[in-house]
Amino acid sequence: MTQAQTSENYFITEQPYYEPIGNEVALFEAAYQNQLPVLLKGPTGCGKTRFMEYMAWRLKRPLITVSCHDDLTASDLVGRYLIKQGNTSWVDGALTHAVRCGGICYLDEVIEARKDTTVVIHPLADDRRVLPIDKLSELITAPPEFCLALSYNPGYQSVLKDLKPSTRQRFVALEFNYPAPDVERKIIMQETQVDIVTAEKLVKFAQTTRNLKQNGLDEGASTRLLVHAAKLIQSDIEPKQACHSAITQALSDDAEMLTAIDELAASLF
């Protein structure tokens, strides 16, 4: 199977549902037209990945997503030699594949990757737009269609986990946050077909949990969790139980905090 054929698997053929919360669509398109890399900043579950799916569909480019983690290596991104049936062959990594096919490479939650791994993106994220592959003695120049995008949650920054200035300053940053209440309600209804009254209660519940951030919670309820709860409710799960399973349990393991969040849900449902 050729590289071009395998790239077909990464095209998004149906329009993903996405509600803009600002001018992020126009900003991303302008960055793409100018071959500038993009950094998406925002809390967990606020729509960054859905936005990338929508933009890949809109720009008609394959989207190759890498979920970053502590064990991610440079070889995972660039490629490695593998032995198959006694023969040694080179296999491109996700980043190399995206460069070769002129796709969008999306490194999700890049803050979770080791710093020595993310250094390999630097030559792609400046005016050079090249990817050195030392093991092949090859230097790949990215075509105009290629786009590099990263995402991370600034709320989880620490001394040990933060983007280096040398990485951060290569990117155009788009800031995401939770949608306005009316937009969030619309998203919940569109995604789950739940009624407007239930959607409004879920949005109010989320807002109260978000007010607890830095007061016992690392993060409040995300739009994603509200959609999960609404889907359970649509499947005839009692609303308080749906909120407990889909939202409360996802936010904390502390017994007192669990009780407090459940009481917030009970006050609405």
Side-chain angles (χ1 to χ4, degrees), residues 74 79 114 133 146 192 194:
R114 298 199 308 252
I133 304 181
F146 170 76
T192 70
V194 77

Side-chain angles (χ1 to χ4, degrees), residues 45-96:
C46 69
K48 300 188 295 296
T49 297
R50 179 65 65 87
F51 170 73
M52 287 304 306
E53 293 171 350
Y54 174 75
M55 293 310 302
W57 170 83
R58 187 179 174 97
L59 295 168
K60 297 180 173 59
R61 300 312 306 158
L63 176 65
I64 299 173
T65 300
V66 179
S67 297
C68 297
H69 51 81
D70 288 337
D71 295 327
L72 185 73
T73 67
S75 294
D76 293 325
L77 294 179
V78 176
R80 54 169 56 89
Y81 282 106
L82 295 178
I83 299 176
K84 294 183 179 179
Q85 299 177 342
N87 296 318
T88 301
S89 60
W90 174 263
V91 177
D92 282 344
L95 179 60
T96 303

